[in-house]
Amino acid sequence: MSKVFFANNRAKNNMGLLDKLDKLIEQLNLSSKIEEGDLVAIKTHFGERGNTAFVPAPFLGRIVKAVKDAGGLPFLTDANTLYKGSRSNAIDHINTAVENGFSYATTRAPVIIADGLDGKDYRSVPIEAKHYKEVKIGSAAVRADAMIVVTHFKGHEMTGFGGAIKNVGMGLGSRSAKQMMHSSALPTVNLNKCTACQKCIPWCPTDAITMVKNKAVIDREKCYGCGECVVTCRFGAIDIQWKTSSDEMQERIVEHTLGALKNKDNKTIFLNFLLNITPDCDCWSWSDAPIVEDIGILASDDIVAIDKASLDLVNKAIGIKTNRLDDPDALDKFKHIFPDIDHSAQLTYGEKLGLGTKDYRLIKIG
């Protein structure tokens, strides 16, 4: 049974949430996980431009300080997005992060985008799992010595909820890895948009792309859907595919989580923020109304246990009747919002792959 530490959002005895965050980190004995000079990736979500539900920068500043006190060298990180928003390349991504408050002045740590300038700076990590034998993870995350995962726990339209597992697996997958997680369908070329620039050809690992009558053509016998051509094309001629079932997508995310955490045994901690719990992902350029009252912060070194505890606390919390949660007394709030999604699939598969356990003991702090 894993330990999950919990601090509620009440400010008592002159102790606010920032102080409680310090107490939670103390419980995980950070100095035992970080050695002097360790490069420490602090995985967070900087929020899409226009979104307001992400974990605010002052919390990250406290985490950065704790890492430095333990002798580590922290940096804030996330990988570029698959879709064309304000974070699909490192320049836009960093500019968005700064606009949303994640500057060096506020956090005292640099922002380093995990998969580089255009999403192609990744490492292929062998895992030998059900869907993948290897996964493409942002190189900065792979090369880091330790990792702290900071997650805004909320709903998600494709996985039911988005917790630490999704934050790591989908979040640290390279742009092409994100395409592979989102779809089992092979890419196709929109001939009306193809400019014959040929930039997709050298990125195809199976030589499946050729030029026919001055247009790119994909040989579907050779293509295995790696997604490199999708993220290379700057003209939208090779469409993003979104075709996969929720259960399969959750399993693919879990396998990428396995790859991202590989070789970081006893070098990773997880912090889930159950504040401003919205029904949708922070990747949207807006934030819908919360579905429950603010709950607090959780900390653990077990990624499965912390997500299970977060889910349980949300379901026990007082619901807020909104257009998205029309029944505040629903026993499973995310299931009520997304009735066709079995969000337990990610927890069950994560446990099966040895990422952690759904059995936990909640320990209240402060």
Side-chain angles (χ1 to χ4, degrees), residues 41-311:
I42 301 178
K43 168 62 178 83
T44 191
H45 190 303
F46 299 116
E48 192 69 13
R49 183 176 290 124
N51 190 282
T52 57
F54 51 86
V55 178
F59 289 110
L60 277 296
R62 287 295 181 103
I63 297 166
V64 166
K65 183 179 184 303
V67 171
K68 290 182 177 180
D69 289 345
L73 303 175
F75 63 95
L76 309 183
T77 194
D78 197 5
N80 292 307
T81 60
L82 174 60
Y83 61 87
K84 293 289 186 181
S86 65
R87 297 178 300 121
S88 62
N89 62 74
I91 296 172
D92 288 340
H93 205 155
I94 292 174
N95 284 335
T96 300
V98 172
E99 289 174 20
N100 286 343
F102 298 93
S103 66
Y104 190 88
T106 55
T107 68
R108 293 294 189 267
V111 171
I112 299 175
I113 303 305
D115 59 343
L117 183 64
D118 55 3
K120 294 184 180 297
D121 186 4
Y122 61 80
R123 293 286 184 92
S124 294
V125 181
I127 59 169
E128 294 293 335
K130 176 180 176 181
H131 299 284
Y132 305 107
K133 293 184 178 179
E134 62 179 25
V135 290
K136 296 181 283 189
I137 305 298
S139 63
V142 175
R143 291 160 64 185
D145 301 301
M147 188 184 301
I148 298 178
V149 179
V150 181
T151 301
H152 171 226
F153 195 84
K154 68 280 180 189
H156 193 275
E157 56 277 10
M158 296 189 73
T159 59
F161 73 84
I165 291 174
K166 184 177 181 297
N167 189 20
V168 173
M170 183 66 74
L172 289 176
S174 68
R175 294 190 74 216
S176 57
K178 288 179 171 67
Q179 170 65 99
M180 296 176 74
M181 282 182 270
H182 276 95
S183 179
S184 55
L186 300 180
T188 57
V189 179
N190 184 328
L191 298 180
N192 293 325
K193 292 183 178 181
C194 180
T195 65
C197 71
Q198 303 186 38
K199 291 183 178 179
C200 56
I201 293 177
W203 283 100
C204 180
T206 61
D207 297 323
I209 305 176
T210 55
M211 300 301 295
V212 178
K213 295 182 180 180
N214 213 32
K215 298 291 182 179
V217 174
I218 300 174
D219 185 337
R220 301 181 75 79
E221 294 298 320
K222 293 182 178 180
C223 175
Y224 67 90
C226 74
E228 291 293 345
C229 61
V230 175
V231 301
T232 298
C233 183
R234 297 183 180 181
F235 305 98
I238 307 179
D239 293 333
I240 296 172
Q241 303 292 315
W242 306 101
K243 302 174 182 178
T244 191
S245 69
S246 175
D247 284 7
E248 183 174 331
M249 181 179 181
Q250 290 179 65
E251 289 182 351
R252 291 175 179 225
I253 290 171
V254 169
E255 292 185 10
H256 281 77
T257 302
L258 181 67
L261 299 180
K262 190 173 182 179
N263 299 326
K264 288 185 173 61
D265 293 340
N266 199 38
K267 302 283 285 184
T268 309
I269 68 170
F270 307 96
L271 296 162
N272 279 11
F273 285 72
L274 277 61
L275 308 171
N276 199 8
I277 302 168
T278 53
D280 298 305
C281 179
D282 295 342
C283 293
W284 293 104
S285 59
W286 40 263
S287 300
D288 205 348
I291 61 172
V292 298
E293 61 180 2
D294 283 350
I295 297 172
I297 308 172
L298 282 77
S300 181
D301 55 13
D302 185 323
I303 193 171
V304 176
I306 196 171
D307 273 1
K308 180 62 166 64
S310 298
L311 184 62

Side-chain angles (χ1 to χ4, degrees), residues 324-351:
R324 300 298 296 279
L325 184 67
D326 54 16
D327 180 7
D329 297 320
L331 296 179
D332 189 329
K333 294 176 176 62
F334 294 128
K335 183 70 174 177
H336 184 78
I337 296 172
F338 306 109
D340 296 329
I341 296 177
D342 177 13
H343 53 58
S344 68
Q346 56 189 291
L347 299 173
T348 300
Y349 195 53
E351 190 173 49

